[in-house]
Amino acid sequence: MDLVSSQGLRIDGRRPNELRKIRCKLGVFSQPEGSAYLEQGNTKVLAAVYGPHQTKGSRSKAIHDAAIVNCQYSMATFSTNERKRRPRGDLKSTEMTLHLKQAMQASIKTDLYPYSQIDIYLEVLQADGGNYCACVNAATLALIDAGIPLKEYVIACSASLGNGDVPLIDVSHLEETMGGSNLTVAVLPLSGQIAVLEMSQKFHIDHLPVVLNEALNGCRRIYEILDEYVKTHLNEIGTIAGWAKSDF
Amino acid sequence: MLTSKTFLKKTKRGNILKIVREHYLRDDIGCGSRICKKCAIINENAILDDKLSSSISKAYVNPHYLIVDTNVVLHQIDVLEEDVLINVIILQTVLEEVKHRSTSIYKRLNDIINNPNRKFYVFVNEHHKDTYIEREPGETANNRNDRAIRVAAKWYDEHLFENQRNISLKKVIRIVLLTGDTDNKEKATQDGIFAASVEDYIYCLKDSKGIEDKLSKQEISYNEDSKEIFPCHLTPVQIHEGIKTGKLLHGSFQASKENFLEGQVNVEGYEKSILIQGYIELNRAVHGDIVALELLPEEQWSAPSEIVLQDDEVDNEEQIVESEIIKPKTVKEKTPTGKIVGIIRRKWRQYCGILQDNILQNSTRHIFVPAEKTIPKIRIETRQAATLIQQRIIVAIDSWSRYSRYPSGHFVRALGKIGDKETENEVLLLEHDVPHSRFSDKVLSYLPKLPWIISDEKVLNNINMFMNCLKQIAKRTDLRHINVCSVDPPGCTDIDDALHCNLLSNGNYEVGVHIADVSHFIKSGTALDEEAALRATTVYLLDKRIDMVPELLSSNLCSLKANEDRFAFSCIWEVTSHAEIVQINFCKSIIRSRAALTYEEAQLIIDDKKQTTVLAESLRNLNNLAKILKKKRIENGALVLASPEIRFYLDSETHDPIEVQAKQIRETNSMVEEFMLLANISVAEKIYEEFPEYAILRRHPCPPPSNFEPLIKAANYLGFEMDTSSNKNLARSLDAAQKKDNPYFNTILRILATRCMLQAVYFNSGMVTKDDFYHYGLAASIYTHFTSPIRRYADILVHRLLAACINADPTYPELLNKKKMNDICHNLNYRNRMAQYAGRASVALHTHMFFREKVQDEEGYILFVRKNALQILIPKYGLEGTLYLAPVKGGEQYVNFIYNEENHTQSYKEIVFHTFDPVIVQLSLDSSNIQHEKLIFKLVKPYIHNFSVPSVKQDTEKSQSNLNLSASEKRKEGDAFSFKSSSKKKKKMSKQ
C-alpha cells in the first residue's frame, strides 16, 4: 500500500505536510504543581509535574548548581490494540525516559533551582504513533502550567518518507509500521536548537535534510498551536482572577 | 480545514482486535470539472471538459460524465481502454477496490488515468466531507461501497447542476453511472441518477463499431438442462478452511505442454509436484492459476502419461468422453496425484492466437485457438470474423462456466496477417512479455544532445559537477594513448567491451578491460532509467533487436566504436606471465578504440605471424593469457557445456533465411570470454567488499541430484559412469566420455548435462547467505555481471555500485534499499528468462521458414526415447524434434513398436532404438495448422517396411540438385551476417 496516494493524500486523508488534529488542556489535575492533557490524533497523553522540591532519596544525588530533572514514562495497559501489562523500567520505557529527560533539560532553566528536583510523569493513554512527540509536547505544557521557568517551549515532531521521496510529518502508527525509517526531533522552535534527534533506521544522506527540514516545520506549527492554547488558557484563568481584563 | 472522524474496524488475527483509525474528511477536494466555478480554486488539475459534444449516445441526450463501478473496471477494462470513452470519473472507492482485487488491472487503469487525453479524473470521495458515508449496521462491505458510489454520483449531479442553473435543461452536464449490478442500477435510478450497464451504454453509442467485440461477457446463459461438465468450485471460505486443516493443498497450476489433459501443481513442502490428470480433475484451471487441490488416495495415484495429446476435437459439448483421458495402464512409478477443487486466484492475461474456422459462416460465436499450448481454446463473440480469420488476434478470458467446455472471452485487438513476419515477431514478443513499444518522448528527453563531443573542458565540467556531491573525486583517467581494440561478432553495433594488453618493464602484463560507461548517460531516477530497469535486457531475435536503451546510446554514444573517443569504465590488472593477478585498478576513463574487430579478423591477426603491430602483439598476449586462465578455471571445476547453436544466413532484402549452419567457435571467442569472466569476478569481489549488504551478484545454484537422473541413465547405457557429486567431477566424467565411432556423442552428453542445470539468477547480497553465492557452472565463489551494460540492466547497477566504491559517483537511496533492489532482481531474472525463450522461439520461427516447401534428409541422433515417440537432435541445424512412432489419430498402424521402460528403448523386430543412436530422418514442414507450423520428422534409416519413407535423394535427385544450385547462388547475394542472438550466447556468461 502506498503511504501517499497518487492524488496526494495519505491513508487517513491528510496531505503529507499536515499535522493530525491537536487538542490539549492545561491544569487537569489539582494535586501536582502542573499538569496537561494532550491529543495528537489518536495519541493521547497525560503529563504531571511535581516540584521543584528537595531531592528525594540519597542526598548525594543532588547537584549543587542545578535541579535534577526526573522523568517517568509509562503506557497504560489499554493504550494499544491488545491489552497488555506494561511494567515500568523495561528497555523501551527506560530509553524513552532518557530521551525525554534530555529534551526537558534542554528547556528548563535548571540552574535556578540548585539542590532540587523536578519530577515529570507521563502516561500514554492511547498510542497511535508519535508517542514520544506527544509526551514532550504534553510535558512542556505541564511545565508551563507548573510555572517552572523555561528557556522556551520544547516541541517534538516525527517525520518519515512516503513512496520513497515524499516527506511526511506527524507519522501515525499505521504509517510507522508500513513505511520505512522514522525520524523524531525535539527542538526549541524559536532558537531552532535541536535537543533530541533520533532515527529508527538509516536515512540516505540525500533524504535526511529534506525529512529533517519538514520535521522542523512541523515543530514550528505545533508550537504555534500549543502557544495559542496556552494563551487562551491563561486568559481564562486571568479572567477568573480578574487581572486579564485590566488594560495595560 | 480538517474534520476528524474515527471509524472502527475489526480484524481477525487469532483473536479479535479493535482497530481505531483516524479518517479525515476534507473540504478542499475539487470535482475536477472545468465548468465548476466553486471548485476553481481547489481544482488542482481540472481535466473534465466543460464543453461536451452532447450527442455521442443515442440514449442520453444530455452531455454527461461517466462514473463507473468496480465491476465495470474489473471486467471491462478493455472497453475502458478505448479512446471513445472520455470524461470519466473514477471514484477512490472504485480505485481502492480494483487495487485490492487485481494488480494488473489496477496498473492498466492507472495508465489510462495518467493519459491526459483520456480525461479520467480520480475523485477522492472517501475523504470528501459530502460524499463520505459510514457503513451501516448489517450492511456488507460491498453494499456499502455501492452506496458510496451512488452517493458520489448523486453529489456530482447536484454539484454540477448548481453550476449550470441558467442553461437549458437539455444541455446540462449530467452523470451517467455505469454499473454491472442490476440492483445497484435500480437503486441509482430511484435516486434520480442516470444508470446503465456497460453493454447497454456501448450499444447506444453512436460510434460503437469495434468496441462491442471488446465487451467482456460475464454470463452466458445456459439452458437449465444442459449438461454439467465440471463440478462446482469450492467457495473461498471452504478453501480457506480446507487449507487450514490440511485437507487441501494449494499451489500454482502448470498445464502440460504436451498433453492438454494433464498438468501439475507445485505445492510447497512436496518434493515432487502434484500431478493432475483428466478433464474433470483439472476442473477449469488455466495455466498459471493459483489453485486449491485435494490429494487423491494413494491407490489412485498415477504417473505422467508419456503421451503427446492435443485438443483437436471440434467443439462439441457432449463429446467429452472418458476415453480421452488416457491414463497409463501400467504405472511404474506413481507420483502424488490430485484433483483441483477450487481456484484461489486466476492468473488470466491476454492471449495471442487465431480463430478456428467456423462451419457456420454468419455465426458470431467463434472458437479462438491460443498460440500457447498450455492455454485452452476460448469462446468469443465477434462480428468481424470474416476479417479476423486471416489474422493473429489477442483475446482475454472473462469467465469459465461449469456448463461450458471452454472458457469464454472477448476480442481485444488484431495484430496482423498470419504468416507475416512482422506479425509473427509481434506475437513472439507479446507471448514472452517483452516490452517492445518505441521509447516514449519522456524517455528520449533524457538523452544527451548531439553532436556529442568529449572535450577536455567537458571532462573538467563533469568533475566540477561531482565535486558538489562529493569532495573526493576520482578523475576520469585519459587512456586515449593506449592501444585498445574490441572483438565482437560480425554486424555487432552495440560494442560494450574493449581490451588491451601491454608488456610492463618488470615482465608482467598490464591487461585492461574497458566497458562502455552507460551509467554516465543513464542517471538514476530518470524516465530513461526506469524504462531500462523495466526492459531489463536487450532481446535479440534473429532479424530484430529490441533495445534496452534508445539507439542513440546503444549503437552510438555508448558503443565503443573504432577511432572515436568514448567514456568507459576500465578495469586494469597487472598480471604475471602465469596469469596471476598482482594488482587491480578500477577507474572511469576515456578511451579511443583502435579497431573494432570480428572474432574472425582477430583470429586471422593472431595466426598471421607476419603481423607484428602493437595491436597484433597485444592480441597474441591476450590470447595466451586467456588460455592459461581457461585452464585454471577448468581445473577449478568449471563446466564446459554445450547447447545446439546455429547461425542463419538471411537474405539481405527479404530477411528470409537462406541457409542454416551450426556455429563455429574460434579461439578468440574464448579469449574475450575469459577476460570478461575475470572482470566480472574482480568487480563482484570489489563491490561485495564495499557493499556487503547491497551488492548485486549472480549465482548459479547447484542442481539437486535428482536433476541428473536422465543424464546418468543415458550415459550408463553406453557404459559410462557420470559422477555428478560436484561440478569438478561432472566436468571430468564428461571429458572422459568419448566414443570413437560417434564423435557427436560427447556433445550430446553435454547438451543433456546443460538441461540438468538450474537457471542462474541475480540476487542482492544482503538477502542470501554467503555460502549460496556460488556459481556452479563457472566454479566461482562470487560472480556478477559487469561487462555488458548496454544490453543488461544488472550491469548498470553494478557499474553504479562500483562507481560508488571508487568515489566516482555518489550513491543514491534506491541503490541502498534492499527491498527495492530485490524487486529489481526479480524483474531482471524474469525478463532474462523471457528474453531467452523469445530468442529460442525466434530461431524456431526461422527454422520453419527455412523448411517451407523443402524436404531434406538429415543425420540425427536420438536424444530421448519416449513411449510413443523418439526425440531427435539434428546437429547440423541444432534442431530438436519428435519422431512419432505411434500413428496419428485415425491413421492405420502397420508397425508396432515395443517400448521398454527399463532401458528406455523402442524396438521393432531386430531393430532397436537406443538413446544416442544415429538415424537419418526426413524433414518437412507441416503447415496444416497455420498457428503451429511444425517440422515433421520421418524415419529414413534404419529402414522399416511400411514405416520409413524413401530417401529424398533417390527419387528427386535431379530436382534437388537444381534447387541446391539456386540456393547457393542466392547465398552470394545475401550477406551472410549472423545476428547477435546466437552469437552473444557464445559468451557463456550470458547463458549462465
Side-chain angles (χ1 to χ4, degrees):
Chain A
M1 216 200 294
D2 286 343
L3 286 184
V4 181
S5 73
S6 45
Q7 286 73 45
L9 293 181
R10 287 153 76 169
I11 298 162
D12 54 9
R14 287 184 286 158
R15 294 197 191 279
N17 59 353
E18 281 173 354
L19 297 167
R20 288 178 288 182
K21 190 161 179 67
I22 294 179
R23 284 193 296 193
C24 60
K25 201 174 170 205
L26 276 74
V28 283
F29 302 127
S30 47
Q31 186 64 34
E33 267 74 20
S35 60
Y37 167 76
L38 178 100
E39 277 183 32
Q40 276 184 268
N42 278 336
T43 303
K44 299 173 183 176
V45 178
L46 269 179
V49 171
Y50 293 84
H53 55 73
Q54 221 174 11
T55 48
K56 280 178 188 151
S58 78
R59 293 210 107 200
S60 59
K61 270 205 280 178
I63 307 171
H64 72 92
D65 58 353
I68 301 170
V69 177
N70 174 37
C71 285
Q72 204 167 79
Y73 169 89
S74 60
M75 284 172 88
T77 47
F78 49 82
S79 62
T80 52
N81 285 333
E82 264 170 308
R83 201 181 155 80
K84 194 175 163 191
R85 237 178 67 79
R86 292 165 198 280
R88 282 211 199 100
D90 62 335
L91 187 72
K92 202 174 130 199
S93 63
T94 317
E95 186 191 343
M96 207 60 134
T97 305
L98 283 170
H99 286 165
L100 281 168
K101 190 174 166 185
Q102 192 184 338
M104 299 336 287
Q105 264 175 340
S107 157
I108 302 169
K109 294 195 167 183
T110 49
D111 52 337
L112 295 179
Y113 305 102
Y115 292 111
S116 36
Q117 176 177 351
I118 299 168
D119 294 319
I120 306 172
Y121 295 96
L122 290 152
E123 178 84 14
V124 176
L125 300 179
Q126 195 175 332
D128 186 30
N131 297 353
Y132 176 78
C133 308
C135 286
V136 170
N137 300 338
T140 303
L141 292 177
L143 285 170
I144 291 170
D145 187 45
I148 292 172
L150 304 177
K151 289 173 193 151
E152 57 175 292
Y153 284 46
V154 56
I155 302 288
C157 182
S158 61
S160 175
L161 269 187
N163 299 7
D165 57 349
V166 188
L168 311 172
I169 61 165
D170 199 5
V171 186
S172 73
H173 177 66
L174 184 68
E175 288 168 331
E176 266 177 8
T177 46
M178 272 173 40
S181 184
N182 279 301
L183 175 143
T184 308
V185 63
V187 289
L188 309 178
L190 295 179
S191 59
Q193 295 177 73
I194 294 176
V196 173
L197 176 65
E198 198 215 356
M199 287 181 282
S200 67
Q201 290 167 47
K202 269 185 277 187
F203 271 101
H204 193 274
I205 190 80
D206 291 0
H207 288 148
L208 188 60
V210 189
V211 178
L212 181 59
N213 198 28
E214 208 50 46
L216 293 178
N217 279 339
C219 288
R220 247 163 261 144
R221 299 245 298 284
I222 295 174
Y223 164 72
E224 279 158 23
I225 295 167
L226 295 189
D227 196 40
E228 200 55 43
Y229 268 108
V230 170
K231 278 178 185 158
T232 348
H233 175 71
L234 289 180
N235 213 1
E236 271 167 26
I237 295 176
T239 316
I240 298 163
W243 50 263
K245 276 183 207 157
S246 54
D247 303 320
F248 291 100
Chain B
M1 195 165 80
L2 298 177
T3 20
S4 149
K5 210 161 194 189
T6 58
F7 72 103
L8 310 176
K9 212 176 159 185
K10 284 180 185 171
T11 57
K12 255 195 251 171
R13 204 183 297 145
N15 45 2
I16 294 173
L17 292 179
K18 184 167 139 192
I19 292 174
V20 184
R21 275 182 202 154
E22 283 181 289
H23 192 89
Y24 287 89
L25 300 182
R26 319 185 59 102
D27 54 8
D28 66 343
I29 295 171
C31 66
S33 168
R34 291 207 181 116
I35 200 169
C36 183
K37 289 173 198 88
K38 265 166 82 186
C39 301
I41 320 153
I42 48 176
N43 264 348
E44 279 162 6
N45 45 353
I47 195 163
L48 301 169
D49 281 330
D50 48 352
K51 290 194 181 65
L52 296 171
S53 58
S54 55
S55 54
I56 55 162
S57 167
K58 286 177 246 174
Y60 300 101
V61 192
N62 288 65
H64 52 262
Y65 299 145
L66 291 173
I67 290 184
V68 289
D69 83 353
T70 317
N71 283 331
V72 171
V73 177
L74 286 175
H75 299 138
Q76 308 288 9
I77 185 77
D78 286 323
V79 176
L80 287 179
E81 277 174 348
E82 283 296 299
D83 286 336
V84 180
L85 299 180
I86 52 167
N87 289 314
V88 179
I89 297 159
I90 302 289
L91 301 177
Q92 189 202 8
T93 317
V94 174
L95 199 63
E96 301 265 299
E97 258 191 302
V98 170
K99 187 175 175 184
H100 192 68
R101 298 266 287 276
S102 159
T103 4
S104 67
I105 294 184
Y106 176 70
K107 230 179 126 212
R108 288 167 71 185
L109 181 63
N110 254 335
D111 286 343
I112 308 176
I113 293 169
N114 291 332
N115 178 355
N117 297 332
R118 296 299 310 278
K119 304 193 169 78
F120 272 53
Y121 179 74
V122 179
F123 180 65
V124 191
N125 64 325
E126 295 287 352
H127 289 287
H128 190 283
K129 66 179 169 47
D130 296 327
T131 55
Y132 172 74
I133 55 161
E134 268 193 77
R135 191 163 146 190
E136 278 162 7
E139 196 175 31
T140 64
N142 255 333
N143 287 345
R144 185 251 159 214
N145 285 345
D146 282 347
R147 191 158 62 87
I149 293 169
R150 289 199 303 275
V151 168
K154 178 100 181 143
W155 176 84
Y156 251 105
D157 229 4
E158 284 163 4
H159 179 80
L160 292 172
F161 186 70
E162 279 174 39
N163 277 299
Q164 327 177 61
R165 283 185 189 283
N166 38 16
I167 300 176
S168 78
L169 270 179
K170 283 209 163 173
K171 288 195 173 157
V172 168
I173 296 179
R174 294 290 303 267
I175 294 293
V176 173
L177 174 67
L178 295 185
T179 171
D181 186 357
T182 41
D183 187 42
N184 196 10
K185 187 175 142 191
E186 234 164 67
K187 281 184 182 157
T189 321
Q190 277 169 20
D191 288 348
I193 312 161
F194 290 149
S197 70
V198 189
E199 288 85 356
D200 294 344
Y201 183 79
I202 295 292
Y203 286 133
C204 287
L205 277 184
K206 289 197 176 143
D207 180 27
S208 68
K209 202 171 176 299
I211 311 181
E212 289 165 16
D213 286 347
K214 302 200 172 178
L215 282 170
S216 144
K217 318 267 171 325
Q218 277 315 299
E219 268 155 51
I220 294 174
S221 51
Y222 286 91
N223 299 337
E224 286 287 303
D225 53 317
S226 67
K227 206 176 123 210
E228 285 176 21
I229 299 174
F230 298 104
C232 276
H233 283 150
L234 298 183
T235 62
V237 180
Q238 284 172 312
I239 292 175
H240 192 81
E241 287 290 306
I243 290 172
K244 222 167 150 190
T245 54
K247 229 177 80 189
L248 301 180
L249 305 168
H250 68 112
S252 79
F253 172 72
Q254 310 288 325
S256 159
K257 273 188 182 151
E258 279 143 10
N259 186 340
F260 77 103
L261 290 176
E262 213 171 85
Q264 51 184 23
V265 180
N266 299 320
V267 178
E268 226 172 280
Y270 278 75
E271 207 173 284
K272 275 186 172 171
S273 40
I274 290 170
L275 182 74
I276 317 280
Q277 265 180 343
Y279 225 90
I280 308 296
E281 283 74 9
L282 289 174
N283 202 356
R284 290 171 280 163
V286 177
H287 183 75
D289 288 349
I290 309 289
V291 297
L293 71 154
E294 197 182 312
L295 213 55
L296 293 173
E298 206 165 329
E299 58 267 22
Q300 290 179 38
W301 284 10
S302 164
S305 66
E306 299 184 7
I307 231 167
V308 180
L309 200 61
Q310 267 185 37
D311 187 6
D312 291 328
E313 292 291 309
V314 180
D315 173 37
N316 196 336
E317 297 293 317
E318 275 86 55
Q319 265 200 352
I320 307 167
V321 267
E322 277 297 306
S323 73
E324 279 191 16
I325 302 155
I326 301 164
K327 288 184 179 162
K329 277 153 212 146
T330 49
V331 179
K332 54 164 186 184
E333 211 174 296
K334 286 185 173 184
T335 47
T337 310
K339 66 171 184 191
I340 289 170
V341 293
I343 308 285
I344 296 170
R345 175 165 275 182
R346 290 289 193 190
K347 286 282 170 87
W348 289 343
R349 50 185 183 87
Q350 299 179 338
Y351 304 100
C352 287
I354 53 169
L355 280 186
Q356 190 171 291
D357 275 326
N358 200 331
I359 314 129
L360 303 168
Q361 283 297 315
N362 298 326
S363 164
T364 56
R365 291 189 167 196
H366 294 270
I367 295 284
F368 163 84
V369 189
E372 276 169 89
K373 288 179 186 156
T374 48
I375 306 296
K377 295 178 181 177
I378 302 167
R379 235 179 255 289
I380 63 164
E381 255 179 71
T382 176
R383 267 164 246 230
Q384 315 167 47
T387 51
L388 292 184
I389 202 100
Q390 304 285 339
Q391 304 202 326
R392 293 253 182 200
I393 59 173
I394 294 185
V395 159
I397 304 186
D398 300 326
S399 61
W400 196 343
S401 142
R402 286 173 58 205
Y403 303 102
S404 164
R405 179 171 169 184
Y406 298 127
S408 52
H410 63 272
F411 165 71
V412 180
R413 70 190 169 97
L415 294 174
K417 210 167 159 293
I418 299 171
D420 220 36
K421 202 137 163 220
E422 284 300 305
T423 314
E424 300 299 326
N425 269 341
E426 177 87 15
V427 170
L428 215 146
L429 293 173
L430 280 172
E431 283 298 311
H432 295 94
D433 196 13
V434 176
H436 59 284
S437 52
R438 63 174 278 279
F439 289 98
S440 69
D441 293 338
K442 199 173 166 205
V443 170
L444 295 176
S445 70
Y446 288 97
L447 293 178
K449 299 279 171 294
L450 284 177
W452 183 84
I453 308 153
I454 305 172
S455 54
D456 289 342
E457 213 175 315
K458 197 160 194 166
V459 179
L460 273 176
N461 270 345
N462 272 315
I463 289 164
N464 279 341
M465 201 179 76
F466 291 146
M467 277 291 195
N468 296 335
C469 310
L470 265 173
K471 293 282 174 283
Q472 284 184 317
I473 230 56
K475 207 171 154 187
R476 196 175 274 278
T477 325
D478 195 340
L479 298 177
R480 280 177 283 194
H481 59 278
I482 293 180
N483 279 304
V484 175
C485 72
S486 64
V487 184
D488 281 279
C492 172
T493 58
D494 49 351
I495 305 169
D496 38 26
D497 47 72
L499 298 159
H500 87 264
C501 178
N502 288 339
L503 189 61
L504 296 175
S505 50
N506 60 0
N508 287 347
Y509 293 99
E510 180 194 83
V511 177
V513 167
H514 311 273
I515 308 295
D517 190 6
V518 182
S519 61
H520 172 81
F521 296 99
I522 302 183
K523 293 282 177 231
S524 67
T526 61
L528 182 59
D529 182 48
E530 277 164 24
E531 182 68 25
L534 174 81
R535 297 193 177 209
T537 172
T538 296
V539 180
Y540 295 96
L541 303 184
L542 267 172
D543 55 342
K544 206 175 174 183
R545 191 177 78 196
I546 318 296
D547 277 326
M548 179 180 81
V549 295
E551 202 181 348
L552 175 69
L553 292 181
S554 68
S555 329
N556 189 358
L557 298 185
C558 290
S559 181
L560 304 175
K561 295 204 273 189
N563 301 319
E564 299 265 5
D565 286 353
R566 289 285 178 257
F567 282 164
F569 211 136
S570 298
C571 181
I572 297 168
W573 299 271
E574 185 185 334
V575 296
T576 63
S577 50
H578 303 293
E580 262 141 30
I581 298 170
V582 181
Q583 63 166 13
I584 318 175
N585 186 20
F586 302 100
C587 64
K588 290 219 168 186
S589 62
I590 310 176
I591 60 158
R592 190 182 183 89
S593 170
R594 297 295 186 270
L597 305 171
T598 64
Y599 289 118
E600 200 174 350
E601 285 165 359
Q603 189 69 52
L604 285 177
I605 294 176
I606 292 173
D607 294 344
D608 184 1
K609 291 282 180 283
K610 276 176 266 170
Q611 291 211 37
T612 49
T613 56
V614 186
L615 205 65
E617 280 306 317
S618 88
L619 278 175
R620 263 170 227 143
N621 287 336
L622 284 170
N623 198 23
N624 291 337
L625 288 171
K627 280 181 192 160
I628 304 171
L629 284 170
K630 183 165 189 183
K631 196 165 151 247
K632 274 190 197 166
R633 210 161 50 80
I634 288 175
E635 271 166 16
N636 266 335
L639 295 174
V640 181
L641 299 173
S643 57
E645 281 182 33
I646 46 169
R647 161 173 174 168
F648 279 85
Y649 288 87
L650 301 190
D651 189 294
S652 58
E653 268 148 44
T654 57
H655 285 275
D656 288 335
I658 302 168
E659 206 195 23
V660 191
Q661 245 185 24
K663 264 189 349 208
Q664 291 180 0
I665 299 214
R666 294 189 178 80
E667 247 180 15
T668 41
N669 289 69
S670 127
M671 173 186 92
V672 173
E673 183 187 326
E674 285 312 317
F675 284 104
M676 294 305 131
L677 292 177
L678 188 65
N680 285 337
I681 292 170
S682 300
V683 171
E685 281 163 357
K686 176 79 180 174
I687 58 173
Y688 178 65
E689 181 192 322
E690 200 82 8
F691 294 106
E693 293 278 289
Y694 307 109
I696 304 291
L697 301 175
R698 189 166 173 84
R699 69 196 171 100
H700 184 208
C702 179
S706 61
N707 273 24
F708 287 115
E709 272 168 25
L711 176 71
I712 296 174
K713 261 189 199 160
N716 258 354
Y717 155 69
L718 289 178
F720 291 104
E721 203 70 44
M722 282 289 137
D723 183 355
T724 57
S725 55
S726 75
N727 44 3
K728 197 171 174 179
N729 290 341
L730 177 63
R732 201 177 296 148
S733 31
L734 278 174
D735 287 339
Q738 300 282 1
K739 261 187 109 179
K740 283 210 177 76
D741 54 328
N742 187 349
Y744 202 67
F745 165 71
N746 190 265
T747 314
I748 301 182
L749 262 191
R750 285 183 200 272
I751 291 173
L752 285 179
T754 312
R755 294 192 184 172
C756 306
M757 297 295 150
L758 299 176
Q759 281 269 347
V761 287
Y762 295 110
F763 67 102
N764 192 333
S765 59
M767 303 292 241
V768 174
T769 57
K770 178 100 208 273
D771 302 339
D772 291 336
F773 288 6
Y774 193 65
H775 197 293
Y776 184 83
L778 296 172
S781 59
I782 189 166
Y783 189 68
T784 193
H785 272 169
F786 168 73
T787 53
S788 302
I790 301 180
R791 60 185 177 92
R792 287 189 306 230
Y793 189 75
D795 302 52
I796 297 185
L797 290 176
V798 170
H799 272 231
R800 289 180 183 155
L801 285 166
L802 186 65
C805 290
I806 60 164
N807 281 339
D809 274 332
T811 60
Y812 58 97
E814 280 76 36
L815 194 63
L816 304 182
N817 182 338
K818 251 190 240 179
K819 203 182 151 293
K820 197 131 191 187
M821 281 301 125
N822 205 35
D823 291 347
I824 291 181
C825 283
H826 276 302
N827 182 45
L828 294 182
N829 290 330
Y830 169 71
R831 296 279 183 212
N832 261 347
R833 209 165 51 235
M834 282 309 171
Q836 219 175 63
Y837 294 158
R840 279 184 214 158
S842 178
V843 171
L845 178 68
H846 281 79
T847 314
H848 289 165
M849 289 176 76
F850 178 70
F851 277 104
R852 220 168 254 173
E853 291 154 20
K854 239 181 244 170
V855 180
Q856 276 189 9
D857 288 346
E858 290 300 340
E859 221 171 281
Y861 296 95
I862 299 174
L863 211 50
F864 294 107
V865 179
R866 295 195 188 280
K867 195 178 170 187
N868 64 343
L870 300 175
Q871 205 79 15
I872 295 194
L873 177 83
I874 295 172
K876 182 174 171 194
Y877 299 127
L879 195 70
E880 200 185 317
T882 320
L883 172 71
Y884 291 93
L885 296 177
V888 201
K889 232 184 222 175
E892 277 180 69
Q893 187 160 14
Y894 300 108
V895 179
N896 272 317
F897 285 91
I898 296 150
Y899 178 55
N900 184 332
E901 286 187 59
E902 276 299 293
N903 300 334
H904 282 283
T905 57
Q906 290 274 10
S907 53
Y908 172 69
K909 289 182 186 164
E910 69 280 5
I911 297 169
V912 185
F913 292 110
H914 300 97
T915 314
F916 301 121
D917 280 354
V919 285
I920 290 182
V921 287
Q922 189 177 88
L923 303 178
S924 59
L925 189 69
D926 172 20
S927 305
S928 58
N929 180 348
I930 27 179
Q931 179 134 270
H932 297 287
E933 290 183 324
K934 52 188 172 194
L935 279 172
I936 304 280
F937 285 60
K938 285 179 191 146
L939 192 64
V940 176
K941 211 176 127 184
Y943 182 76
I944 296 174
H945 187 64
N946 272 342
F947 181 79
S948 297
V949 290
S951 161
V952 195
K953 280 182 193 129
Q954 284 164 10
D955 43 83
T956 54
E957 207 155 357
K958 263 186 189 165
S959 60
Q960 192 67 19
S961 65
N962 281 341
L963 253 175
N964 275 341
L965 196 71
S966 60
S968 61
E969 266 170 0
K970 251 195 214 162
R971 198 185 315 148
K972 280 174 206 155
E973 296 160 26
D975 51 346
F977 65 86
S978 114
F979 286 83
K980 266 203 147 171
S981 103
S982 41
S983 30
K984 275 284 177 187
K985 270 189 223 150
K986 252 179 276 173
K987 297 187 183 171
K988 211 163 63 189
M989 58 268 178
S990 67
K991 229 169 33 203
Q992 295 171 343

